[in-house]
Amino acid sequence: MNTYHCSCLCKAISFSVSLKNLSIEVCHCSMCRKMMGSSGFLGMECVGGITLTENAALHIYHSSDSGQRGFCQCCGTSLFYYFVPENKFFIPAGVIDDLPEEKVSMTAEIYYDNKPCYYEYVGETKKFTEADFQ
Ligand SMILES: [Zn+2]
Ligand SMILES: [Zn+2]
């Protein structure tokens, strides 16, 4: 299991994680797009928790009964999504400092029916709609 180092833009927060694999699963839901301020959450699944080395500015926002979102109160970087029912952390690919990007692939897109029409990712992905999670 490879361990990767993560940090926010201002470096007030840093942590390490073990990733399940080098696959990205994008979530297009409106909460993820709002939190990221961008085109969805490019999530990478962690094995186990996150090991904080600097956490002075960490804030955790409870966005729903099943989800908690960590971000930096100094610079605003979104750092993780914690899925409560399965006790799993997902990290946005952009916060990982030492990710071997040539080995990473985008494999799935969830809440694809919530994706606005003004963007589209290239490449083959498995696509899931909101109905797949009900
Ligand atoms: Zn920060
Ligand atoms: Zn989402």
Side-chain angles (χ1 to χ4, degrees):
M1 196 67 61
N2 281 323
T3 300
Y4 297 94
H5 183 263
C6 307
S7 60
C8 67
L9 185 59
C10 76
K11 307 290 184 196
I13 299 168
S14 60
F15 58 97
S16 59
V17 295
S18 294
L19 296 177
K20 181 182 176 191
N21 53 43
L22 293 176
S23 298
I24 290 174
E25 188 171 279
V26 183
C27 183
H28 297 290
C29 85
S30 59
M31 281 193 286
C32 282
R33 286 187 286 111
K34 181 70 82 173
M35 185 80 188
M36 304 306 289
S38 187
S39 57
F41 182 90
L42 277 67
M44 303 191 78
E45 186 176 341
C46 301
V47 175
I50 62 175
T51 305
L52 286 157
T53 45
E54 292 290 341
N55 68 349
L58 179 63
H59 190 77
I60 297 173
Y61 173 63
H62 293 234
S63 56
S64 71
D65 288 343
S66 59
Q68 299 174 6
R69 298 166 188 269
F71 68 94
C72 176
Q73 294 181 88
C74 292
C75 67
T77 302
S78 288
L79 295 164
F80 61 78
Y81 174 74
Y82 176 61
F83 187 52
V84 178
E86 294 182 9
N87 189 28
K88 277 182 185 167
F89 282 89
F90 295 85
I91 302 296
V95 304
I96 305 171
D97 297 318
D98 51 0
L99 190 65
E101 62 182 79
E102 68 286 349
K103 295 179 182 167
V104 174
S105 56
M106 189 179 285
T107 55
E109 296 178 64
I110 65 173
Y111 288 88
Y112 187 74
D113 52 335
N114 291 0
K115 182 184 78 58
C117 57
Y118 55 73
Y119 72 82
E120 186 81 53
Y121 291 116
V122 297
E124 275 301 299
T125 56
K126 272 188 159 173
K127 294 178 175 65
F128 300 92
T129 65
E130 188 168 353
D132 292 318
F133 298 96
Q134 267 144 44

